[in-house]
Amino acid sequence: MMSRFYLALILLVCATNSFAQKSKFNDGWLFKADTANSLNEKALQAKPWRPVALPHDWSIEQPFDGNSPSGNRGAALRGGLGMYQKEFILNNADKNKRIFIVFDGVYMNSTVWINGHKLGTRPFGYISFEYELTPHLKFNGQKNTLLVRAENKQPNSRWYSGSGIYRNVWLDRRGNTFVKNWGTYISTPQVSRHSALVNIETKIVDANNQQTELQTTIYDKNGKAIKTLVQALAVNSGEQSVLQQVTLANPDLWSVETPNLYTAVSRVLVNGKEQHRYTTSFGVRHFYFDQQKGFFLNDKPVKIIGACMHHDLGALGAAINVRAMERQLQILKGMGLNGIRTSHNPPAPELLDLCDKMGFIVMNETFDVWSRDKENTPYNYSLYFKEWHEKDLTDHILRDRNHPSVFMWSVGNEIPEQQGGKDTVGRNITRALVNIVKRLDNRPVTAGMNYTQNDNNLYLSGALDILGINYHHKQWEDLGKNLFPGNKPYILAENTSALATRGHYDMPSDSIRRWAGIKDITKTGNPDYTMSAYENASAPWASTNEEALKLFLKYPYLSGMYLWTGFDYLGEPTPYPFPARSSYFGIVDIAGFPKDSYYLYKSVFTKENVLHVLPHWNWTPGQVIDVHVYFNNADEVELFVNNQSVGKKSKQADDLFVRFNGLKFEPGELKAVSRKNGNVVMQTVKRTAGKAYRLVAAVDRNTINADHEDLPFVKISVVDKDGNLVPDANNTLRYRVQGTGKIRALDNGYQADLEPYSNTSYRKAYNGLGLAIIQASGQKGKISLQVSSEGLQPSTVTIDVK
Ligand code: GAL
């Protein structure tokens, strides 16, 4: 504890004494948008400005709209044309500094002006970029005006993108000599348990004075300074690269279980006076992929069990929030996952910071399309690929290459240029992209391929280090025998695409629904746009979790897999048309409530005792019900209905769970007991719930910081008199906040719910649950949230705001 405090103190002192600093520039912005998709400037000009706080996503504020040009794959939320403006006055002390503005991401096609001067345009909506403001700035109390225009002409995406300045903006004040943005590259070419060689390359701009030096101090995981390296800089009016090296004895290695981090603080000093300070966090680890034996981290075999994740945060839309991302990652860690694929674009930088700290193995992906459109989204990135791919890919790698959580780069997902034959353009592009990456970093490069013929251009390019296979689980056996000849290791870059709605069950559970696109839901599909949460629904090109997991566990050469997806996300509601507007692929629903399959993974991939029974126990007397039990750390499970044993079962051969199918439902109690060597390991009971009687609100954290970002998440359960969850309750929940906070957004996890997420104080529960996301107003104090519903006893939670 002491040592963490020590690092915090050092960094605080740095921040206050430092000549130069980077600070968030999110406050005080005005905004307006025209969501008509015509990108009509005049219509936009006529709109009034209103204040907004960044990060901001204007699409999530719109109503779900079946006529939206985004389609329901874009969550039926509109984009259009948006404009942001910020006025600010600079301190005269900043006059002699170099001042930059950094955008972590603007969706999309942004143009930025300072005081009427155009700084540039950036089409790619997921890339971070900066502009120098220095020559255009005014001082002496004069106003400066920043203007940002963003175009989201739809359709341009296969999923929900969000619109506007949806990530952080920073004002970065640097001295006249400074470390370039993303100007450090810390690599560890030789690592063992006993020693690690650390290379620190630093790009310095404009060292014009004889007495300029770079001081780099390395801090260990406890914040203790362990070494300072000093290098005099050459007088040079442009950019110079400095290499500093240090050998660490007995390094604290980064691993999934102990994600130890080091910090390097680079200080540029002129005549002993600090000009710029730049902090880089890094990790020490080594790894390799073996074609036959899989993945090794620090010489130990590790199976990568990852999830693909889109960037939206459900009810918050695309507007990034660190606590919301951390909550997602905590929930995914809880089911035993250790990997994230940033499908299919560069993530928010904060996501990688969290993955560094929490121990995730990241496949960091750049593109979903190259030069050709995919699935008829005419305004997508392929329009810009030719002109921008080199800059975008370069910036992505430069920004992210110090993160120890990043283990591989993916240059594309299911790129149409895969398909071979005479058309070889995909080979050349693959080589070009891999070359760009290799100039900057030596981590392996992969791509997600769903075309598994030998004439696949990405494979034939010979340039990929790891072949990323999407789906095709029936061919996984062939991977060991070289599906693609050569000696390249494989990774399952994407698999499963199972479909489920939390708490909904279609029987018989052993008939599998392979549903792709359902046009007439009265003939196929469920009239309420639900999918079954047994292991019995998937997209036709894909598999259930059970099918994929059995094979994944069978073949040692499968180094890892990234399932599609960890959470439900906005858009792509396969297989349903509107009003379905968010996906069914998640192991966790969009509100963050686990579906049953969560416990299947947890039983396989964690050591924690698991005993999970499905479905709920509220059916019609006499109805035939299939009961499945996910469990671990035990040899058998015995199931009881109203205390009568209905049998004992053990997993046979490659079974992942046991099925008690065809039970006759009688109201009362369903109990499962797991035993090992005859001793009870766990016991779990589901009772038939009576009428909804009261609400139970539970908050994930009772104390939060007095800022706009430290969001508490409140789960509301609708229960009967005895506290049993009412599994089909959909009562309207009304929320009232008092004190120093407000409701940020409400959710319930239902994929076809058309109530808006924000600017509302009520929302129905779905299958017994609701979610409220609260936001502090900025002042210290207390927040109290009361949830009520007609005829039910209300519930209140209080949160301390410190
Ligand atoms: C994949 C694709 C993903 C998602 C998924 C749905 O082919 O890479 O982005 O569309 O299918 O099953």
mmCIF file of all heavy atoms in Angstrom, residues 227-256:
data_model
loop_
_atom_site.group_PDB
_atom_site.id
_atom_site.type_symbol
_atom_site.label_atom_id
_atom_site.label_comp_id
_atom_site.label_asym_id
_atom_site.label_seq_id
_atom_site.Cartn_x
_atom_site.Cartn_y
_atom_site.Cartn_z
ATOM 1 N N LYS A 227 16.085 3.077 -11.418
ATOM 2 C CA LYS A 227 17.230 3.433 -12.265
ATOM 3 C C LYS A 227 16.906 4.725 -13.015
ATOM 4 O O LYS A 227 15.788 4.904 -13.479
ATOM 5 C CB LYS A 227 17.435 2.295 -13.294
ATOM 6 C CG LYS A 227 18.580 2.468 -14.220
ATOM 7 C CD LYS A 227 19.799 1.740 -13.702
ATOM 8 C CE LYS A 227 21.013 2.125 -14.504
ATOM 9 N NZ LYS A 227 22.258 1.759 -13.846
ATOM 10 N N THR A 228 17.912 5.617 -13.112
ATOM 11 C CA THR A 228 17.717 6.787 -13.983
ATOM 12 C C THR A 228 18.813 6.785 -15.037
ATOM 13 O O THR A 228 19.998 6.639 -14.713
ATOM 14 C CB THR A 228 17.757 8.094 -13.172
ATOM 15 O OG1 THR A 228 16.620 8.106 -12.314
ATOM 16 C CG2 THR A 228 17.674 9.318 -14.082
ATOM 17 N N LEU A 229 18.423 6.900 -16.287
ATOM 18 C CA LEU A 229 19.372 6.907 -17.398
ATOM 19 C C LEU A 229 19.425 8.326 -17.937
ATOM 20 O O LEU A 229 18.386 8.955 -18.125
ATOM 21 C CB LEU A 229 18.868 5.973 -18.501
ATOM 22 C CG LEU A 229 18.582 4.539 -18.055
ATOM 23 C CD1 LEU A 229 17.586 3.870 -18.977
ATOM 24 C CD2 LEU A 229 19.886 3.753 -18.012
ATOM 25 N N VAL A 230 20.643 8.813 -18.170
ATOM 26 C CA VAL A 230 20.773 10.191 -18.636
ATOM 27 C C VAL A 230 21.502 10.195 -19.974
ATOM 28 O O VAL A 230 22.519 9.521 -20.136
ATOM 29 C CB VAL A 230 21.564 11.038 -17.610
ATOM 30 C CG1 VAL A 230 21.675 12.484 -18.088
ATOM 31 C CG2 VAL A 230 20.893 10.976 -16.245
ATOM 32 N N GLN A 231 20.978 10.942 -20.912
ATOM 33 C CA GLN A 231 21.589 10.996 -22.234
ATOM 34 C C GLN A 231 21.590 12.452 -22.730
ATOM 35 O O GLN A 231 20.529 13.082 -22.782
ATOM 36 C CB GLN A 231 20.747 10.116 -23.178
ATOM 37 C CG GLN A 231 21.078 10.219 -24.634
ATOM 38 C CD GLN A 231 22.376 9.495 -24.969
ATOM 39 O OE1 GLN A 231 22.597 8.371 -24.532
ATOM 40 N NE2 GLN A 231 23.238 10.173 -25.717
ATOM 41 N N ALA A 232 22.794 12.946 -23.071
ATOM 42 C CA ALA A 232 22.853 14.299 -23.649
ATOM 43 C C ALA A 232 22.315 14.246 -25.065
ATOM 44 O O ALA A 232 22.535 13.269 -25.791
ATOM 45 C CB ALA A 232 24.300 14.780 -23.649
ATOM 46 N N LEU A 233 21.590 15.288 -25.474
ATOM 47 C CA LEU A 233 20.987 15.265 -26.806
ATOM 48 C C LEU A 233 21.804 16.098 -27.775
ATOM 49 O O LEU A 233 22.421 17.101 -27.397
ATOM 50 C CB LEU A 233 19.557 15.805 -26.740
ATOM 51 C CG LEU A 233 18.612 14.972 -25.872
ATOM 52 C CD1 LEU A 233 17.249 15.627 -25.766
ATOM 53 C CD2 LEU A 233 18.469 13.563 -26.436
ATOM 54 N N ALA A 234 21.790 15.673 -29.040
ATOM 55 C CA ALA A 234 22.493 16.423 -30.073
ATOM 56 C C ALA A 234 21.690 17.676 -30.406
ATOM 57 O O ALA A 234 20.461 17.662 -30.355
ATOM 58 C CB ALA A 234 22.610 15.552 -31.327
ATOM 59 N N VAL A 235 22.404 18.735 -30.742
ATOM 60 C CA VAL A 235 21.704 19.936 -31.186
ATOM 61 C C VAL A 235 21.201 19.637 -32.594
ATOM 62 O O VAL A 235 21.962 19.284 -33.483
ATOM 63 C CB VAL A 235 22.635 21.158 -31.193
ATOM 64 C CG1 VAL A 235 21.896 22.373 -31.737
ATOM 65 C CG2 VAL A 235 23.118 21.418 -29.784
ATOM 66 N N ASN A 236 19.935 19.760 -32.734
ATOM 67 C CA ASN A 236 19.315 19.211 -33.931
ATOM 68 C C ASN A 236 17.956 19.872 -34.026
ATOM 69 O O ASN A 236 17.194 19.853 -33.083
ATOM 70 C CB ASN A 236 19.223 17.697 -33.677
ATOM 71 C CG ASN A 236 18.302 16.979 -34.623
ATOM 72 O OD1 ASN A 236 17.275 17.493 -35.030
ATOM 73 N ND2 ASN A 236 18.672 15.761 -34.929
ATOM 74 N N SER A 237 17.654 20.496 -35.127
ATOM 75 C CA SER A 237 16.417 21.276 -35.161
ATOM 76 C C SER A 237 15.191 20.411 -35.477
ATOM 77 O O SER A 237 14.076 20.870 -35.405
ATOM 78 C CB SER A 237 16.528 22.399 -36.188
ATOM 79 O OG SER A 237 16.819 21.801 -37.420
ATOM 80 N N GLY A 238 15.411 19.134 -35.780
ATOM 81 C CA GLY A 238 14.250 18.288 -36.112
ATOM 82 C C GLY A 238 13.988 17.243 -35.046
ATOM 83 O O GLY A 238 13.947 17.542 -33.861
ATOM 84 N N GLU A 239 13.895 15.999 -35.524
ATOM 85 C CA GLU A 239 13.528 14.915 -34.632
ATOM 86 C C GLU A 239 14.738 14.013 -34.441
ATOM 87 O O GLU A 239 15.456 13.745 -35.390
ATOM 88 C CB GLU A 239 12.423 14.144 -35.357
ATOM 89 C CG GLU A 239 11.657 13.218 -34.504
ATOM 90 C CD GLU A 239 10.523 12.575 -35.312
ATOM 91 O OE1 GLU A 239 9.634 13.300 -35.790
ATOM 92 O OE2 GLU A 239 10.573 11.354 -35.471
ATOM 93 N N GLN A 240 15.003 13.565 -33.239
ATOM 94 C CA GLN A 240 16.070 12.582 -33.046
ATOM 95 C C GLN A 240 15.575 11.452 -32.181
ATOM 96 O O GLN A 240 14.677 11.606 -31.369
ATOM 97 C CB GLN A 240 17.310 13.219 -32.438
ATOM 98 C CG GLN A 240 17.122 13.790 -31.064
ATOM 99 C CD GLN A 240 18.367 14.542 -30.622
ATOM 100 O OE1 GLN A 240 19.415 13.935 -30.434
ATOM 101 N NE2 GLN A 240 18.243 15.857 -30.462
ATOM 102 N N SER A 241 16.195 10.299 -32.407
ATOM 103 C CA SER A 241 15.786 9.109 -31.687
ATOM 104 C C SER A 241 16.907 8.710 -30.745
ATOM 105 O O SER A 241 18.067 8.654 -31.138
ATOM 106 C CB SER A 241 15.537 8.011 -32.717
ATOM 107 O OG SER A 241 14.836 6.986 -32.105
ATOM 108 N N VAL A 242 16.580 8.470 -29.503
ATOM 109 C CA VAL A 242 17.594 8.125 -28.501
ATOM 110 C C VAL A 242 17.313 6.717 -27.993
ATOM 111 O O VAL A 242 16.163 6.405 -27.668
ATOM 112 C CB VAL A 242 17.497 9.110 -27.312
ATOM 113 C CG1 VAL A 242 18.474 8.731 -26.224
ATOM 114 C CG2 VAL A 242 17.726 10.528 -27.788
ATOM 115 N N LEU A 243 18.338 5.887 -27.938
ATOM 116 C CA LEU A 243 18.151 4.542 -27.385
ATOM 117 C C LEU A 243 18.809 4.472 -26.022
ATOM 118 O O LEU A 243 19.999 4.755 -25.870
ATOM 119 C CB LEU A 243 18.760 3.499 -28.318
ATOM 120 C CG LEU A 243 18.731 2.062 -27.773
ATOM 121 C CD1 LEU A 243 17.298 1.557 -27.617
ATOM 122 C CD2 LEU A 243 19.520 1.121 -28.672
ATOM 123 N N GLN A 244 18.065 4.120 -25.022
ATOM 124 C CA GLN A 244 18.623 3.894 -23.683
ATOM 125 C C GLN A 244 18.326 2.442 -23.314
ATOM 126 O O GLN A 244 17.290 1.908 -23.700
ATOM 127 C CB GLN A 244 18.002 4.849 -22.669
ATOM 128 C CG GLN A 244 18.370 6.301 -22.952
ATOM 129 C CD GLN A 244 17.581 7.270 -22.086
ATOM 130 O OE1 GLN A 244 16.363 7.235 -22.075
ATOM 131 N NE2 GLN A 244 18.274 8.133 -21.365
ATOM 132 N N GLN A 245 19.252 1.844 -22.555
ATOM 133 C CA GLN A 245 19.063 0.428 -22.216
ATOM 134 C C GLN A 245 19.288 0.211 -20.743
ATOM 135 O O GLN A 245 20.128 0.872 -20.124
ATOM 136 C CB GLN A 245 20.059 -0.436 -22.982
ATOM 137 C CG GLN A 245 19.733 -0.512 -24.457
ATOM 138 C CD GLN A 245 20.658 -1.471 -25.156
ATOM 139 O OE1 GLN A 245 21.870 -1.370 -24.984
ATOM 140 N NE2 GLN A 245 20.096 -2.375 -25.935
ATOM 141 N N VAL A 246 18.541 -0.711 -20.206
ATOM 142 C CA VAL A 246 18.762 -1.066 -18.807
ATOM 143 C C VAL A 246 18.511 -2.567 -18.655
ATOM 144 O O VAL A 246 17.684 -3.131 -19.370
ATOM 145 C CB VAL A 246 17.850 -0.223 -17.877
ATOM 146 C CG1 VAL A 246 16.383 -0.437 -18.159
ATOM 147 C CG2 VAL A 246 18.131 -0.491 -16.419
ATOM 148 N N THR A 247 19.272 -3.176 -17.766
ATOM 149 C CA THR A 247 19.034 -4.584 -17.487
ATOM 150 C C THR A 247 18.413 -4.692 -16.104
ATOM 151 O O THR A 247 18.941 -4.153 -15.131
ATOM 152 C CB THR A 247 20.349 -5.379 -17.541
ATOM 153 O OG1 THR A 247 20.875 -5.216 -18.865
ATOM 154 C CG2 THR A 247 20.133 -6.850 -17.284
ATOM 155 N N LEU A 248 17.283 -5.348 -16.045
ATOM 156 C CA LEU A 248 16.599 -5.517 -14.761
ATOM 157 C C LEU A 248 16.922 -6.914 -14.236
ATOM 158 O O LEU A 248 16.736 -7.902 -14.948
ATOM 159 C CB LEU A 248 15.090 -5.396 -14.924
ATOM 160 C CG LEU A 248 14.551 -4.104 -15.548
ATOM 161 C CD1 LEU A 248 13.043 -4.206 -15.772
ATOM 162 C CD2 LEU A 248 14.870 -2.913 -14.642
ATOM 163 N N ALA A 249 17.388 -6.959 -12.988
ATOM 164 C CA ALA A 249 17.648 -8.271 -12.384
ATOM 165 C C ALA A 249 16.357 -8.774 -11.752
ATOM 166 O O ALA A 249 15.580 -7.997 -11.193
ATOM 167 C CB ALA A 249 18.731 -8.140 -11.328
ATOM 168 N N ASN A 250 16.130 -10.066 -11.854
ATOM 169 C CA ASN A 250 14.911 -10.691 -11.298
ATOM 170 C C ASN A 250 13.655 -9.862 -11.570
ATOM 171 O O ASN A 250 12.972 -9.415 -10.638
ATOM 172 C CB ASN A 250 15.054 -10.928 -9.798
ATOM 173 C CG ASN A 250 16.272 -11.764 -9.498
ATOM 174 O OD1 ASN A 250 16.554 -12.728 -10.223
ATOM 175 N ND2 ASN A 250 17.025 -11.374 -8.495
ATOM 176 N N PRO A 251 13.360 -9.627 -12.829
ATOM 177 C CA PRO A 251 12.229 -8.742 -13.142
ATOM 178 C C PRO A 251 10.891 -9.311 -12.655
ATOM 179 O O PRO A 251 10.711 -10.520 -12.585
ATOM 180 C CB PRO A 251 12.250 -8.694 -14.678
ATOM 181 C CG PRO A 251 12.936 -9.941 -15.100
ATOM 182 C CD PRO A 251 13.953 -10.235 -14.035
ATOM 183 N N ASP A 252 9.995 -8.398 -12.327
ATOM 184 C CA ASP A 252 8.617 -8.800 -11.999
ATOM 185 C C ASP A 252 7.885 -8.988 -13.316
ATOM 186 O O ASP A 252 7.461 -8.015 -13.943
ATOM 187 C CB ASP A 252 7.929 -7.701 -11.190
ATOM 188 C CG ASP A 252 8.487 -7.615 -9.788
ATOM 189 O OD1 ASP A 252 8.585 -8.685 -9.150
ATOM 190 O OD2 ASP A 252 8.830 -6.507 -9.348
ATOM 191 N N LEU A 253 7.748 -10.239 -13.727
ATOM 192 C CA LEU A 253 7.177 -10.498 -15.045
ATOM 193 C C LEU A 253 5.685 -10.193 -15.073
ATOM 194 O O LEU A 253 4.988 -10.348 -14.075
ATOM 195 C CB LEU A 253 7.413 -11.957 -15.450
ATOM 196 C CG LEU A 253 8.869 -12.387 -15.582
ATOM 197 C CD1 LEU A 253 8.959 -13.837 -16.050
ATOM 198 C CD2 LEU A 253 9.637 -11.478 -16.542
ATOM 199 N N TRP A 254 5.240 -9.765 -16.252
ATOM 200 C CA TRP A 254 3.796 -9.547 -16.488
ATOM 201 C C TRP A 254 3.191 -10.883 -16.885
ATOM 202 O O TRP A 254 3.713 -11.584 -17.756
ATOM 203 C CB TRP A 254 3.616 -8.542 -17.625
ATOM 204 C CG TRP A 254 2.190 -8.114 -17.865
ATOM 205 C CD1 TRP A 254 1.599 -6.971 -17.422
ATOM 206 C CD2 TRP A 254 1.183 -8.808 -18.625
ATOM 207 N NE1 TRP A 254 0.292 -6.909 -17.840
ATOM 208 C CE2 TRP A 254 0.007 -8.025 -18.581
ATOM 209 C CE3 TRP A 254 1.146 -10.014 -19.323
ATOM 210 C CZ2 TRP A 254 -1.197 -8.400 -19.206
ATOM 211 C CZ3 TRP A 254 -0.044 -10.394 -19.952
ATOM 212 C CH2 TRP A 254 -1.187 -9.590 -19.886
ATOM 213 N N SER A 255 2.106 -11.255 -16.227
ATOM 214 C CA SER A 255 1.391 -12.459 -16.642
ATOM 215 C C SER A 255 -0.095 -12.220 -16.431
ATOM 216 O O SER A 255 -0.495 -11.204 -15.856
ATOM 217 C CB SER A 255 1.852 -13.673 -15.833
ATOM 218 O OG SER A 255 1.390 -13.530 -14.507
ATOM 219 N N VAL A 256 -0.882 -13.180 -16.872
ATOM 220 C CA VAL A 256 -2.334 -13.050 -16.736
ATOM 221 C C VAL A 256 -2.724 -13.012 -15.250
ATOM 222 O O VAL A 256 -3.618 -12.273 -14.841
ATOM 223 C CB VAL A 256 -2.999 -14.244 -17.461
ATOM 224 C CG1 VAL A 256 -4.457 -14.352 -17.110
ATOM 225 C CG2 VAL A 256 -2.818 -14.100 -18.962
#
